[in-house]
Each structure stands twice: as structure tokens, then as C-alpha cells.
Amino acid sequence: SIKGAPMTIQPLQRPHPPLWDPTSNPERVTWVAENGFHTFFGFSLTGPEVIAAGVARYKATQAGGGPNVIQPVGHEAMLGATRHVYVDDTDEAAMAIARDAYSDFDLNFRTRPNLGVQAKSRRGDFETAIGWGGIYAGSPDTVRAKIQQFIDDTQINYFAGTFAFGSLTTEQVLKSIGLYAKEVMPHLRQTQTVA
């Protein structure tokens, strides 16, 4: 309740929608698990091994066993991560388009008002991001194999692709999403989470 502000529309979910708390901090992962939150593991230069360690720590923690549980347990914990994704007909086309778009994204990410351009990105340039697994670009077969390997290596059960980034046009984003929805997503194997 809020004094002086009548709430005529009440939330559908009671007591509240499922809560998420993204983190890669090992101590925070324990708190997140104890309180029954879903979580997203880090994005900036966070390779699969760091995410796998966070997932293992979450699973090893007594889910919902904290002293002041915020979100009651009774649901499967969603343990997620996100990566930039660009799917095109061929690996060559996807890599060329994604390289340009990601380079623009990285430049924009490093640019801050009144600070100029930072020399180095927390995510790395395109080649660096490809190397640590921050972006998956290629044909549907290539992207499917890379995402499946990422899921298998990290044991996440929630993958979120970032499809619109940098200078990608609306048409390029929609083509990528369409190929992903039709030729990648239906073929990814599900993982089992024990929380």
C-alpha cells in the first residue's frame, strides 16, 4: 500500500513475480541461493568456467535455507547467462556482419559522456569476445553447437541471447532471430538443474 496513491490495478502474481538477482560474485551467489532467487551469471569477460563455478556454488547451497528467505522455494531455480548471438546463412556472412556490429557496440559501450572514449573495453574487442565466448556468430549449425557446448559446460538451464547490438539493422536482427527460432532453439538439449 502507498499512502495517497490508490492502486486500482493489483498485481496478478501473489505475493510477487519470481525474483532474479544477477551476480558472479561467489559470496553473493550463496546469498542468492539461500534466498531462493533465480540468477543470471556475469556477462563482462565472464567465461564458461566462471559461470560453471557459480552454478556449482548455487547448487551446493541450501536453496531457500537463509535466515530471512525472500522468495519461497518450491520452484526450479533458473540459472541463466546471456551471450551476443548473430545467426546468418553462412559462417562467413555472420562473422562479417557481427564483427562490424559488435565493434560499433564496443565503441558505444566504451564511450561515456564527458569522459571521451575509454581505451579498453571490459568485454574486449570482437576477436577477444569470440575467444572468451561472449558472442556466438555463425550459421545455424555453428551457433547451435556453440550454445549447446556452453550449456553443457556451465550447466545453466536458462540461456538468453542478445540479438540486437551495435549497428545491426532491424532486418538483420529479425533474420537472425528467425533463424535462431527455427533452426537453433528447437534443437538445443535441455539441462537438468538440481537446486
Side-chain angles (χ1 to χ4, degrees), residues 107-123:
L107 177 62
N108 289 336
F109 190 81
R110 292 183 290 124
T111 303
R112 299 290 186 263
N114 301 322
L115 295 178
V117 177
Q118 298 171 1
K120 188 172 181 179
S121 169
R122 294 184 325 202
R123 301 163 192 257

Side-chain angles (χ1 to χ4, degrees), residues 12-32:
L12 177 64
Q13 292 169 291
R14 299 290 183 155
H16 51 71
L19 300 174
W20 290 73
D21 190 333
T23 188
S24 286
N25 179 312
E27 290 75 31
R28 184 74 177 178
V29 169
T30 299
W31 183 89
V32 168

Side-chain angles (χ1 to χ4, degrees), residues 1-187:
S1 63
I2 302 171
K3 291 182 180 180
M7 298 291 288
T8 55
I9 300 174
Q10 297 296 313
L12 177 64
Q13 292 169 291
R14 299 290 183 155
H16 51 71
L19 300 174
W20 290 73
D21 190 333
T23 188
S24 286
N25 179 312
E27 290 75 31
R28 184 74 177 178
V29 169
T30 299
W31 183 89
V32 168
E34 287 174 345
N35 284 282
F37 287 105
H38 303 297
T39 193
F40 253 76
F41 295 97
F43 188 75
S44 296
L45 281 173
T46 306
E49 66 285 345
V50 174
I51 295 170
V55 169
R57 185 174 189 122
Y58 188 104
K59 290 178 178 181
T61 301
Q62 174 70 35
N68 300 305
V69 176
I70 296 170
Q71 178 160 274
V73 176
H75 60 275
E76 178 181 14
M78 300 304 291
L79 307 174
T82 186
R83 292 295 188 252
H84 284 92
V85 176
Y86 187 73
V87 188
D88 209 318
D89 297 321
T90 67
D91 288 343
E92 295 76 20
M95 290 292 281
I97 292 168
R99 178 177 284 106
D100 290 344
Y102 187 87
S103 296
D104 291 335
F105 164 81
D106 186 49
L107 177 62
N108 289 336
F109 190 81
R110 292 183 290 124
T111 303
R112 299 290 186 263
N114 301 322
L115 295 178
V117 177
Q118 298 171 1
K120 188 172 181 179
S121 169
R122 294 184 325 202
R123 301 163 192 257
D125 62 13
F126 182 76
E127 297 305 327
T128 302
I130 287 286
W132 65 265
I135 181 169
Y136 299 129
S139 67
D141 288 342
T142 297
V143 171
R144 182 183 327 111
K146 288 181 179 186
I147 292 174
Q148 188 64 62
Q149 188 65 56
F150 178 71
I151 291 169
D152 293 345
D153 289 348
T154 61
Q155 294 300 298
I156 61 168
N157 60 3
Y158 191 96
F159 178 85
T162 300
F163 293 93
F165 56 90
S167 55
L168 291 174
T169 66
T170 301
E171 292 77 19
Q172 289 169 327
V173 171
L174 292 176
K175 179 178 181 179
S176 177
I177 291 171
L179 287 168
Y180 181 84
K182 183 178 178 187
E183 299 185 37
V184 176
M185 192 169 58
H187 305 288

